[in-house]
Amino acid sequence: MERAVVQVTLFGLLLVLASTLPNKDDWNIYSFHINSTVTSRYATTVITSRVANRMDDSKEIEFQVRIPKNAFISKFRMFIDDQWYDGVVKGKEKAQQQYTEAVSHGQSAGLVSSVGRTLEEFKTSVTVAAHKKVTFELTYEELLKRKLGKYELQIHARPMQPVKDLKVDVYINEKAGINFIEVKGGLSTKALANAITRTHADKQAWVYFYPTEDQQKTCDGCGEQGMNGDLVIVYDVNRDTSLGDIKTSAGYFVHHFAPSSLSRIPKNVVFVIDQSGSMSGRKMQQTRIALIHILNDLAEDDHFGLITFDSNIFHWKRELVQANKKNLESAKTFAQNIQARTTTDINAAVLEGARMLNAHPREGSASIVILLTDGDPTSGETNLERIQSNVRRDIADKFPLYCLGFGHDVNFEFLEKMSLQNNGVARRIYEHSDADLQLKGFYDEVATPLLTDVTMIYNGGTNLTQTNFSQYYNGSEIVVAGQITDNDIETFTPQVVAISRDRKVTFSDTNATMEYTGTDFDSHIQRVWAYLTVKQLLEKELLLSGPEKENVKKEALELSLKYSFVTPLTSMVVTKPLGEKTDVLHKPKEGGTTQGHSTGVPFPPPVQPSWASIIPAFHNGLQGMPGISRFTDAYDVFDDFVGADDVDSDDYEDAMIVPDKTTNVPLSHRFLLKTENLSLPLCFDVTGDVRLKLLHHPNRELSVNGELDTVTNGGFRRIVIHFKTDLYVEVDTNVITVREGQTLTRHTGQDLITAGSLTVIRRNKEIDVAAGDTRMVIYIHEKDGVGFLWPVLRQQPLDNNVTGIIALKPAVYEEVQQTPSTKLKIKDQEIDVTRSNAFDYSIVSPPTLDCWLMSVESVLQRHLDDFIVTQL
Ligand SMILES: *[C@@H]1O[C@H](CO)[C@@H](O)[C@H](O)[C@H]1NC(C)=O
Ligand SMILES: *[C@@H]1O[C@H](CO)[C@@H](O)[C@H](O)[C@H]1NC(C)=O
Ligand SMILES: *[C@@H]1O[C@H](CO)[C@@H](O)[C@H](O)[C@H]1NC(C)=O
Ligand SMILES: *[C@@H]1O[C@H](CO)[C@@H](O)[C@H](O)[C@H]1NC(C)=O
Ligand SMILES: *[C@@H]1O[C@H](CO)[C@@H](O)[C@H](O)[C@H]1NC(C)=O
Ligand SMILES: *[C@@H]1O[C@H](CO)[C@@H](O)[C@H](O)[C@H]1NC(C)=O
Ligand SMILES: *[C@@H]1O[C@H](CO)[C@@H](O)[C@H](O)[C@H]1NC(C)=O
């Protein structure tokens, strides 16, 4: 006991020493607050950072935070020397002038750039005199989107150093009542559990997150640079009436429509899958997995079709067929055998999908086309405009087209435009180990149509946002905002007309939830209207050309300026104290070639813009005007991450747009080897893209190998079990594939799989494997939202001849020296070790354990090569 206490103290002391070092000659963030207020799904978040220059010289102090891509920055200001310096939103051209002037004076500009799937980075800096302070305050606003039955507010906390006074306050106010609220995200871990307080009282909820300085250094993903991660507040509201919530105030209204007590409409869905050469490898594999999951989820009264295409079109069946067991089995076999081939004829494939749906009776059902592609059209019709007009002609507003752009070589703007022209949305699928989950996740959002041809009617309303929606899906929400003509509430009557299964339905119970909020919320409802209107105008602009485009653009610009939104049409100009640089902050835009920023219609849930939206990084004006190559930008972002030592998987993935993949930093995976008594376990790192021999049991003809994940440093991506001569079981985070002789079966559910004397049982996040006297468990853990596998040997075979990394005997060592550094003695060998820690993935909720870190060879007592296999 006594020894343990001493060790803890030493450990704590080390941390303190280390953390004071970088700050000694630097600036100090003494307070960092994030305050988010959500009223009727509209979130306004204020980040306030107070920084002191503790130096005897003036110092350039940086403010760098990450905000959701869907948000508009609406305010930024700095307080220096008893004076506020306010950012001003200006039209891009005006801002550009100011910027150019600044550059010509040798000054630089700040920037907002896109990081990861959901975040954008805002960055600026200011020079602060010796022993003076600065306060940065950034405000952004966003309308939370309901997806799969919940709203998510993402808060990214990354102050760049441990902060004494770090607070995240979230206040949610929903008049309809809050149904449930949860806190998720990378920061919501056990280590930080006691820093999070959640209070929920019917219509209101509060989440407070006040981590201590120590917690900020030791949490998952955090380090000497302090906290770095997300807090995601997940909630939904009660829905009493089918017409939904209508809030009105000062002449504006917002209507949230999400009826839930409707029965599903059978759907007719055609999947159009790209199998061109560029899809080969992991992308194709993930597509196959996702497709099989999706097929498993089809209901018996759904009809479906499956088309794959490269330069040719391949049908599974020429017409839509019912999703009965026999057809599904056959379709799954077809899906399993999709192979990547040659070039891409998008035009012919989508037209064929439309033909199949057009040929199928639509009464009482909802039709959908889902296109998955990873590239440009390269064969058949390749003129983008002609493809768009062909597709539009053949679909003729009869059903929505959803386009999924896989990876970063895709012409996303083309897909986006084509989706919007056909009542759908485009979504990016990030090339990442969870791509199959992204595909399945998108499908889930549209899997349950409840209404089609939804028309939202507002007598006495004007300046409405989008009112016609081709389909409404379970778990989503339609939001419409507008003005009330002459603010005359008496004559304002909302009504929704739609088709449910095969009958027309009207929703119009006006008395229940029409809510008149006082003047407190005046600006709030008006801002929701402005936010939605700007988002939709930006989208509309994408579809138009000529004078119409200019008009829409002008309208969007005027509103952005009026409501002070930083959109792709505006910039924020931050004027600093005399003699300092002027910053011009732009919102990045999708694709980087047109002005259109893709943020989606209110329904279905919008497209998340992506990595491509990296705006030019200005380097002290050397490169002059914006529009410098994307290549440089990519490196900028990349360096940023690597330098900051916070390569989280999303960011990393996105930064990998650099053409040369050799810049890929190999991941280290940490393994633990426990001891039989209670002394500290040993740990060691295995680095790089390797396949390991997990277990080899020659007498039973059993061998198990695993491939380490290359995206997250958690554990294994795939594990393969070979048993006897003809049984092969492959496990990944989603699917268990069994090959017995010539028969291949795939299991995605909570199946019991038996094959000879091998049994595999999957229960939720745990896969049990038993083969004779050997029993192992494969856990499915998650890190940064990415699943990985971790195998544990539960029953050591009696046989002495068993080898492999999970069959290592418990560690036996003696501590022989403690100063100046610790040495352990293992089998007559003295080994230098350092104290470290590791996740114990052999447990469902992995705790962090302290351990003695040493080289892999020292632990294994032989070369790692003996544990490496070339083939799974
Ligand atoms: C957060 O913002 C709200 C609304 O602006 C304000 O009422 C509240 O006092 C703020 N809370 C904190 C802790 O700053
Ligand atoms: C819609 O989703 C909810 C849960 O999110 C579920 O309870 C309900 O049964 C679903 N409705 C249909 C028709 O599937
Ligand atoms: C709202 O609509 C009226 C006409 O119905 C129009 O005159 C007015 O300019 C519109 N307001 C805005 C802010 O678009
Ligand atoms: C919306 O749909 C209705 C009928 O369904 C139609 O009359 C109206 O023109 C549509 N409005 C728009 C803006 O497309
Ligand atoms: C509207 O309110 C009246 C009186 O409170 C009630 O009788 C009626 O049923 C309500 N209508 C609906 C559709 O709820
Ligand atoms: C564990 O066993 C080793 C070797 O037998 C011994 O040196 C060590 O003191 C033991 N540790 C504890 C905590 O019992
Ligand atoms: C281990 O394998 C050797 C041959 O490779 C065999 O002679 C020996 O009996 C085996 N040991 C056990 C315990 O099965």
Side-chain angles (χ1 to χ4, degrees):
M1 276 326 274
E2 209 171 48
R3 210 178 102 201
V5 170
V6 171
Q7 280 171 346
V8 168
T9 316
L10 277 174
F11 193 49
L13 199 73
L14 276 175
L15 278 180
V16 171
L17 282 175
S19 70
T20 50
L21 286 176
N23 286 350
K24 226 172 69 185
D25 56 353
D26 218 328
W27 35 275
N28 167 241
I29 303 175
Y30 59 94
S31 153
F32 190 89
H33 289 182
I34 301 179
N35 181 1
S36 194
T37 308
V38 187
T39 308
S40 304
R41 297 71 141 178
Y42 195 69
T44 304
T45 304
V46 183
I47 303 179
T48 312
S49 175
R50 296 185 172 82
V51 192
N53 177 8
R54 306 259 187 242
M55 295 293 294
D56 294 330
D57 303 312
S58 65
K59 194 93 193 149
E60 183 168 8
I61 290 179
E62 218 174 63
F63 175 68
Q64 185 178 350
V65 291
R66 294 178 178 185
I67 69 171
K69 280 183 183 172
N70 237 345
F72 287 148
I73 288 172
S74 56
K75 196 169 172 185
F76 174 72
R77 51 186 199 159
M78 293 182 289
F79 189 73
I80 310 162
D81 258 348
D82 292 327
Q83 197 184 330
W84 281 108
Y85 294 85
D86 283 67
V88 179
V89 176
K90 297 195 173 176
K92 203 153 228 165
E93 270 118 55
K94 280 225 182 88
Q96 196 60 59
Q97 256 173 24
Q98 206 146 353
Y99 164 73
T100 314
E101 273 163 31
V103 166
S104 70
H105 290 100
Q107 298 169 344
S108 80
L111 63 125
V112 180
S113 53
S114 179
V115 287
R117 294 180 193 174
T118 56
L119 296 170
E120 255 162 37
E121 188 161 81
F122 172 97
K123 197 156 127 182
T124 189
S125 65
V126 67
T127 305
V128 175
H131 303 288
K132 292 280 186 191
K133 295 175 180 172
V134 56
T135 299
F136 299 97
E137 187 189 281
L138 177 76
T139 306
Y140 61 87
E141 302 176 24
E142 72 187 307
L143 182 65
L144 304 181
K145 297 263 165 21
R146 187 162 184 258
K147 252 193 221 179
L148 299 172
K150 53 192 195 279
Y151 304 98
E152 287 191 354
L153 173 71
Q154 182 186 13
I155 290 176
H156 194 82
R158 182 174 174 254
M160 313 292 286
Q161 51 176 259
V163 177
K164 203 173 222 126
D165 170 27
L166 191 152
K167 287 183 179 168
V168 179
D169 288 283
V170 178
Y171 169 59
I172 300 173
N173 178 14
E174 293 287 353
K175 287 279 162 56
I178 296 164
N179 182 348
F180 74 89
I181 176 161
E182 282 169 20
V183 183
K184 293 191 174 163
L187 293 177
S188 177
T189 56
K190 264 212 180 107
L192 289 170
N194 68 354
I196 300 176
T197 324
R198 196 187 69 201
T199 322
H200 171 192
D202 186 23
K203 294 176 174 20
Q204 298 172 76
W206 292 262
V207 176
Y208 304 125
F209 176 53
Y210 297 171
T212 64
E213 250 180 308
D214 273 348
Q215 280 175 319
Q216 293 169 44
K217 283 178 280 199
T218 53
C219 55
D220 194 14
C222 310
E224 286 310 307
Q225 306 234 322
M227 199 153 62
N228 178 14
D230 289 328
L231 209 58
V232 181
I233 321 290
V234 183
Y235 75 98
D236 198 13
V237 304
N238 296 325
R239 289 162 214 284
D240 314 324
T241 64
S242 51
L243 186 65
D245 291 351
I246 297 158
K247 293 193 177 52
T248 67
S249 167
Y252 287 83
F253 76 90
V254 56
H255 181 188
H256 293 266
F257 177 70
S260 53
S261 52
L262 294 167
S263 50
R264 58 176 286 282
I265 301 179
K267 62 182 177 296
N268 313 313
V269 55
V270 175
F271 301 98
V272 182
I273 309 288
D274 188 340
Q275 59 171 359
S276 60
S278 52
M279 285 285 289
S280 68
R282 183 149 80 139
K283 280 200 256 179
M284 204 70 253
Q285 168 66 8
Q286 290 169 320
T287 303
R288 283 191 293 256
I289 292 171
L291 206 50
I292 285 160
H293 279 281
I294 289 169
L295 290 170
N296 273 332
D297 282 0
L298 289 175
E300 179 124 19
D301 57 355
D302 287 339
H303 286 74
F304 71 106
L306 201 51
I307 298 173
T308 62
F309 69 100
D310 41 59
S311 52
N312 292 305
I313 292 177
F314 302 86
H315 292 86
W316 163 64
K317 293 261 165 51
R318 289 216 148 258
E319 307 302 333
L320 293 194
V321 301
Q322 199 188 342
N324 60 29
K325 206 163 184 174
K326 182 170 142 275
N327 285 336
L328 286 175
E329 283 312 312
S330 149
K332 281 189 239 172
T333 311
F334 178 84
Q336 232 148 59
N337 291 314
I338 301 174
Q339 296 295 337
R341 294 162 186 249
T342 57
T343 51
T344 319
D345 188 350
I346 290 180
N347 181 60
V350 177
L351 296 184
E352 178 57 17
R355 182 202 63 78
M356 287 172 76
L357 282 173
N358 280 324
H360 187 82
R362 285 210 323 284
E363 282 299 295
S365 60
S367 296
I368 298 170
V369 193
I370 299 178
L371 165 70
L372 172 74
T373 180
D374 75 332
D376 291 335
T378 50
S379 78
E381 177 63 80
T382 55
N383 179 301
L384 302 184
E385 270 161 29
R386 275 202 295 272
I387 295 174
Q388 283 164 349
S389 87
N390 291 344
V391 168
R392 205 169 178 178
R393 178 198 63 213
D394 283 12
I395 290 183
D397 283 333
K398 281 178 287 190
F399 39 82
L401 166 67
Y402 296 106
C403 296
L404 303 178
F406 200 157
H408 40 69
D409 291 332
V410 72
N411 183 342
F412 192 73
E413 195 183 316
F414 160 68
L415 293 181
E416 187 182 27
K417 204 162 161 178
M418 196 158 68
S419 300
L420 290 173
Q421 284 170 339
N422 295 283
N423 304 299
V425 291
R427 186 72 64 83
R428 265 187 195 278
I429 302 297
Y430 293 84
E431 232 177 304
H432 203 289
S433 66
D434 71 342
D436 50 334
L437 297 179
Q438 298 174 50
L439 289 168
K440 178 66 167 57
F442 172 78
Y443 169 79
D444 287 342
E445 288 173 34
V446 300
T448 318
L450 298 180
L451 295 171
T452 64
D453 306 287
V454 185
T455 310
M456 315 283 287
I457 300 163
Y458 302 91
N459 282 326
T462 177
N463 296 333
L464 305 174
T465 59
Q466 188 185 344
T467 52
N468 286 9
F469 301 85
S470 69
Q471 298 182 351
Y472 160 67
Y473 305 99
N474 200 18
S476 72
E477 182 173 63
I478 291 176
V479 184
V480 180
Q483 296 176 14
I484 298 169
T485 313
D486 304 326
N487 197 10
D488 183 356
I489 305 243
E490 298 305 312
T491 59
F492 178 67
T493 43
Q495 194 185 28
V496 180
V497 178
I499 307 213
S500 152
R501 269 186 176 259
D502 40 13
R503 66 197 174 85
K504 193 167 166 184
V505 287
T506 303
F507 302 86
S508 62
D509 45 355
T510 44
N511 44 341
T513 47
M514 179 87 89
E515 198 177 289
Y516 312 91
T517 46
T519 47
D520 306 358
F521 293 115
D522 280 6
S523 67
H524 154 250
I525 288 176
Q526 190 172 343
R527 291 189 83 82
V528 175
W529 171 80
Y531 175 95
L532 270 179
T533 305
V534 170
K535 290 251 161 179
Q536 292 178 7
L537 285 172
L538 290 170
E539 235 165 49
K540 197 163 155 196
E541 189 227 323
L542 192 68
L543 302 180
L544 296 171
S545 57
E548 276 179 308
K549 190 185 184 83
E550 288 311 308
N551 284 340
V552 167
K553 204 162 144 180
K554 189 161 157 268
E555 209 182 323
L557 174 63
E558 277 167 10
L559 277 180
S560 303
L561 290 174
K562 178 167 178 201
Y563 291 89
S564 166
F565 289 144
V566 179
T567 67
L569 302 178
T570 54
S571 299
M572 182 171 274
V573 178
V574 183
T575 305
K576 299 177 184 177
L578 217 59
E580 266 220 64
K581 318 166 197 174
T582 298
D583 275 359
V584 180
L585 306 155
H586 305 292
K587 186 174 178 70
K589 61 202 172 197
E590 185 70 43
T593 49
T594 62
Q595 294 289 310
H597 176 64
S598 107
T599 27
V601 287
F603 169 80
V607 183
Q608 291 289 359
S610 72
W611 66 268
S613 358
I614 292 164
I615 80 135
F618 306 115
H619 297 289
N620 294 315
L622 286 177
Q623 265 119 334
M625 300 293 287
I628 53 171
S629 80
R630 186 189 289 168
F631 191 73
T632 320
D633 305 339
Y635 270 107
D636 274 345
V637 175
F638 187 72
D639 289 342
D640 226 311
F641 294 135
V642 175
D645 193 25
D646 66 356
V647 185
D648 84 47
S649 56
D650 267 6
D651 296 342
Y652 185 64
E653 172 76 11
D654 294 329
M656 284 207 336
I657 50 177
V658 289
D660 179 7
K661 290 221 175 188
T662 57
T663 48
N664 197 335
V665 178
L667 286 176
S668 266
H669 296 259
R670 181 158 292 183
F671 290 74
L672 266 175
L673 184 62
K674 295 192 191 166
T675 58
E676 223 139 31
N677 58 22
L678 290 172
S679 49
L680 276 192
L682 307 182
C683 51
F684 58 95
D685 290 333
V686 175
T687 303
D689 190 0
V690 295
R691 301 187 178 107
L692 293 173
K693 176 165 81 175
L694 299 174
L695 182 76
H696 184 53
H697 192 338
N699 293 342
R700 295 253 170 214
E701 296 178 76
L702 173 71
S703 64
V704 183
N705 300 320
E707 185 175 34
L708 287 173
D709 205 312
T710 49
V711 178
T712 172
N713 63 359
F716 295 86
R717 162 152 53 136
R718 266 195 311 158
I719 290 178
V720 169
I721 303 161
H722 301 268
F723 190 47
K724 302 279 168 27
T725 49
D726 62 349
L727 186 66
Y728 167 97
V729 180
E730 184 183 312
V731 177
D732 68 20
T733 53
N734 301 305
V735 187
I736 302 174
T737 309
V738 179
R739 198 176 65 215
E740 199 175 3
Q742 296 298 309
T743 329
L744 193 72
T745 51
R746 298 186 146 240
H747 305 260
T748 53
Q750 317 262 314
D751 280 356
L752 166 71
I753 303 162
T754 53
S757 59
L758 180 88
T759 53
V760 180
I761 306 167
R762 166 147 193 193
R763 294 183 238 106
N764 204 11
K765 298 285 175 199
E766 205 174 298
I767 298 162
D768 245 290
V769 180
D773 62 351
T774 311
R775 204 165 82 74
M776 63 185 264
V777 178
I778 301 173
Y779 286 103
I780 304 173
H781 291 301
E782 203 182 288
K783 186 169 184 183
D784 303 325
V786 180
F788 63 85
L789 303 170
W790 195 265
V792 182
L793 193 59
R794 269 295 131 83
Q795 190 176 316
Q796 185 85 23
L798 301 168
D799 199 323
N800 264 327
N801 287 0
V802 173
T803 54
I805 216 140
I806 64 170
L808 293 173
K809 302 250 156 31
V812 177
Y813 64 81
E814 244 182 277
E815 236 180 278
V816 288
Q817 187 188 321
Q818 278 179 326
T819 46
S821 65
T822 309
K823 278 189 196 301
L824 301 187
K825 189 163 154 194
I826 300 180
K827 284 196 184 153
D828 301 318
Q829 217 187 334
E830 289 196 2
I831 298 157
D832 280 312
V833 293
T834 49
R835 184 72 175 255
S836 186
N837 54 59
F839 280 108
D840 184 1
Y841 289 126
S842 69
I843 292 172
V844 180
S845 312
T848 313
L849 298 186
D850 282 349
C851 56
W852 290 120
L853 181 64
M854 58 176 81
S855 73
V856 54
E857 277 78 17
S858 306
V859 176
L860 301 179
Q861 292 284 302
R862 70 183 101 153
H863 203 269
L864 178 64
D865 283 352
D866 289 352
F867 289 88
I868 286 186
V869 291
T870 48
Q871 268 219 309
L872 283 187

